[in-house]
Amino acid sequence: DIQMTQSPSSLSASVGDRVTITCRASQSVSNYLNWFQQKPGKAPKLLIYAASDLHSGVPSRFSGSGSGTDFTLTISSLQPEDFATYYCLQSYITSALPFGGGTRVEIK
Amino acid sequence: EVQLVESGGGLVQPGRSLRLSCTASGFTFGDYTMSWVRQAPGKGLEWVSFIRSKAYGGATQYAASVSGRFTVSRDDSRSIAYLQMNSLKTEDTAVYYCSRERTTVSTGAFDIWGQGTMVTVSS
């Protein structure tokens, strides 16, 4: 089975910081990689699809990159509303759609 | 407004069954793949199942953890997706979300989510 590993599992950052979250697949998923943001008690929200395409309405400070097995979500300048948990999800292997373990972004 | 509303959650004993519903509005439900995703208390997201549109044969897929116990279905005439959960285990306790694909051909790009319904499996 394909595994998705996110790192770090949590991080502390300040408003205005550049934040980078990594997602690694146990085998190539081409560019079939999606990123979600979830705030406590709320449903997740789609941020990035196809590794680097910004979903409609998502601020441009969010960006995604990568292909194959290694992917990155970057927040160029962290805003107060960005403190949340972020998840990656591969969709290349459709017999199973594993999420990464999540990265919690906390206020420093 | 594009919207998904889950219902049917509750407290159920281990080994029993429960059926969740996901009622859609604001879009042509029959054109889209629908998925179920769950989140155990304090844990991460876990994809559970999807059902493709009739245009793609209505194909279904399940996570290994629920395969053989859960069944996903859809009623396009009523814009409802269902998740029939049988032989429930304590580890199935979670908030269950339904979600819609961003396009009629995409997989994994869940752009619309319901508010979630809580399922608690306990004696």
Side-chain angles (χ1 to χ4, degrees), chain A residues 78-97:
Chain A
L78 197 66
Q79 297 302 301
E81 60 268 31
D82 301 337
F83 291 96
T85 301
Y86 294 85
Y87 295 91
C88 63
L89 171 74
Q90 76 82 29
S91 52
Y92 181 69
I93 309 292
T94 58
S95 58
L97 300 177

Side-chain angles (χ1 to χ4, degrees), chain A residues 46-104:
Chain A
L46 178 65
L47 297 176
I48 301 284
Y49 62 94
S52 60
D53 290 342
L54 196 67
H55 180 53
S56 175
V58 175
S60 59
R61 62 181 179 273
F62 290 92
S63 64
S65 64
S67 66
T69 60
D70 294 312
F71 301 87
T72 299
L73 174 70
T74 300
I75 309 171
S76 60
S77 178
L78 197 66
Q79 297 302 301
E81 60 268 31
D82 301 337
F83 291 96
T85 301
Y86 294 85
Y87 295 91
C88 63
L89 171 74
Q90 76 82 29
S91 52
Y92 181 69
I93 309 292
T94 58
S95 58
L97 300 177
F99 284 89
T103 297
R104 184 175 179 181

Side-chain angles (χ1 to χ4, degrees), chain A residues 3 7 11 19 28 31 33 36 40 49 54 65 73 76 83 95:
Chain A
Q3 308 291 332
S7 61
L11 64 89
V19 170
S28 176
N31 71 331
L33 195 285
F36 298 86
Y49 62 94
L54 196 67
S65 64
L73 174 70
S76 60
F83 291 96
S95 58

